[in-house]
């Protein structure tokens, strides 16, 4: 009969190779600047708490997702069954005990948000400031209590592009608010995220190199991936641009890169770009299972 250790699932060879290289202090990361690792949290109750994600020690930024309803006088955050009551304390723990940046992402794949008028953009900016950021107006409920997120991520897939530039400007003018935009790799300049990014208020761009075969990485044909990367980094030369990837093969319809190919082929293509920022994983639920982030962390 096999022992319990023999019955355990063997680690992928790519994982073993990369870990050995990290321990040896070698590998492609030494040649260029290192990047940060970001993960989306809040998409599955089984992913564990926000505190647990930060306690792994592998993430520089965790993005709470999503505020799914806004723009028409109503606001609602969908955290996939996570108890909201404990999130505020977890935010403080992540920020102060673990030095992890915590953002709130607005939008997502639902269709209950839009900014129909400039006034609605102002109202949403005011709500975000007083409900999640450094404000605190009487009568505005703060779901996370007195915890203050470090910034807002724009993950806008629906509702049109109008007035997101106004939202970004309003938030950026507050001061001390980190604005990021998570965009599909083939988005055009007419989209909401691009409109916001064009204001110059967005400090980080997360490009989703998945769910779109036109720009997903392919080791046999790198030009679509690399060409898209060069386009984004040139367009937003003053922002930090991050590679968005699925954390497991089943986390997206395409775009997953095995760790060895990422570390030794895909990342060397992008790391030499002056505004390369790191990797953004979708999402913590898949990363907890696959340990993808743990595998690549030291090689970014």
């Amino acid at each position: 009969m096999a022992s319990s250790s023999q019955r355990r699932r063997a680690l992928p060879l790519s994982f073993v190779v990369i870990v050995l290289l990290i321990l040896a202090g070698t590998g492609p990361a030494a040649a260029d600047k290192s990047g940060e690792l970001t993960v989306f949290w809040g998409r599955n109750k089984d992913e564990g708490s926000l505190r647990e994600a930060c306690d792994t020690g592998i993430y520089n930024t965790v993005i709470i997702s999503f505020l799914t309803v806004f723009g028409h006088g109503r606001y609602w955050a969908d955290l996939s069954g996570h108890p909201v009551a404990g999130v505020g304390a977890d935010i403080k723990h992540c920020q102060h005990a673990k030095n992890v940046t915590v953002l709130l992402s607005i939008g997502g794949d639902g269709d209950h948000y839009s900014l129909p008028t400039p006034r609605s953009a102002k109202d949403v900016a005011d709500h975000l400031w007083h409900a999640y950021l450094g404000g605190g107006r009487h009568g505005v409920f703060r779901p996370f209590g007195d915890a203050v997120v470090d910034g807002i991520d724009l993950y806008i897939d629906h509702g049109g592009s109008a007035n997101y530039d106004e939202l970004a400007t309003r938030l950026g003018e507050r001061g001390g608010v980190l604005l990021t935009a998570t965009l599909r790799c083939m988005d055009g300049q007419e989209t909401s995220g691009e409109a916001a990014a064009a204001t110059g208020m967005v400090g980080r761009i997360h490009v989703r190199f998945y769910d779109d075969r036109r720009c997903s990485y392919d080791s046999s044909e790198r030009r679509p991936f690399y060409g898209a990367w060069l386009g984004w980094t040139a367009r937003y030369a003053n922002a930090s641009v991050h590679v968005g990837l699925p954390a497991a093969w089943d986390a997206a319809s395409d775009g997953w890169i095995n760790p060895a190919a990422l570390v030794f082929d895909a990342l060397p293509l992008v790391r030499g770009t002056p505004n390369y920022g790191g990797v953004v994983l979708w999402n913590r639920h898949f990363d907890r299972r696959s340990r993808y982030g743990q595998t690549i962390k030291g090689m970014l």
Side-chain angles (χ1 to χ4, degrees):
M1 179 180 294
S3 68
S4 59
S5 61
Q6 289 173 323
R7 288 196 299 268
R8 293 190 188 113
R9 184 177 175 182
L11 289 172
L13 179 59
S14 58
F15 178 92
V16 176
V17 170
I18 293 171
V19 168
L20 289 174
L21 285 170
I22 293 172
L23 292 174
T26 61
D32 300 296
K33 65 177 182 180
S34 60
E36 297 187 348
L37 186 62
T38 298
V39 72
F40 278 88
W41 175 90
R43 295 295 81 217
N44 192 300
K45 189 176 181 180
D46 294 335
E47 69 196 331
S49 69
L50 179 62
R51 176 184 292 254
E52 290 170 346
C54 294
D55 281 347
T56 63
I58 63 175
Y59 307 119
N60 302 98
T61 301
V62 177
I63 304 177
I64 300 172
S65 55
F66 291 106
L67 182 74
T68 56
V69 178
F70 62 84
H72 300 271
R74 297 184 302 117
Y75 302 94
W76 183 259
D78 173 16
L79 301 184
S80 306
H82 285 286
V84 176
V87 174
D90 286 0
I91 291 172
K92 294 179 183 180
H93 173 78
C94 292
Q95 294 168 327
H96 304 305
K98 297 298 179 179
N99 197 32
V100 173
T101 298
V102 181
L103 307 177
L104 172 67
S105 189
I106 70 172
D109 59 4
D111 58 0
H112 296 291
Y113 59 84
S114 66
L115 297 177
T117 66
R119 177 56 188 266
S120 66
K122 176 185 180 300
D123 290 344
V124 171
D126 286 345
H127 177 80
L128 291 171
W129 176 251
H130 292 296
Y132 298 99
L133 294 163
R137 177 185 295 162
H138 179 72
V140 177
F141 175 63
R142 293 185 66 90
F144 305 148
D146 61 356
V148 176
V149 297
D150 295 294
I152 301 297
D153 174 67
L154 305 176
Y155 194 113
I156 310 300
D157 280 357
H158 303 284
S161 61
N163 301 308
Y164 282 95
D165 54 346
E166 180 73 15
L167 175 64
T169 299
R170 293 275 183 176
L171 288 171
E173 288 174 344
R174 297 284 188 176
V177 178
L178 173 61
L179 286 181
T180 68
T182 300
L183 308 172
R184 291 172 294 205
C185 62
M186 296 304 290
D187 274 351
Q189 295 187 20
E190 74 283 356
T191 63
S192 52
E194 287 267 47
T199 64
M201 296 290 186
V202 176
R204 282 171 46 170
I205 306 291
H206 309 144
V207 185
R208 284 180 268 167
F209 285 96
Y210 54 92
D211 286 334
D212 192 331
R213 293 185 182 278
R214 293 174 296 173
C215 54
S216 296
Y217 169 84
D218 184 338
S219 60
S220 64
E221 178 53 271
R222 301 175 182 84
R223 284 179 296 180
F225 169 80
Y226 188 48
W229 171 259
L230 291 178
W232 283 103
T233 53
R235 194 180 311 161
Y236 297 107
N238 294 324
S240 173
V241 184
H242 299 237
V243 181
L245 297 173
W249 66 269
D250 55 344
S253 62
D254 61 72
W256 183 76
I257 310 175
N258 78 66
L262 176 68
V263 168
F264 295 105
D265 192 26
L267 285 182
L269 290 174
V270 304
R271 261 204 320 267
T273 311
N275 51 341
Y276 163 73
V279 170
V280 181
L281 295 180
W282 180 266
N283 53 47
R284 170 60 183 161
H285 169 64
F286 292 101
D287 193 40
R288 187 187 193 194
R289 186 189 69 200
S290 69
R291 296 191 293 173
Y292 193 84
Q294 178 184 349
T295 306
I296 66 172
K297 170 65 175 176
M299 309 295 281
L300 297 180

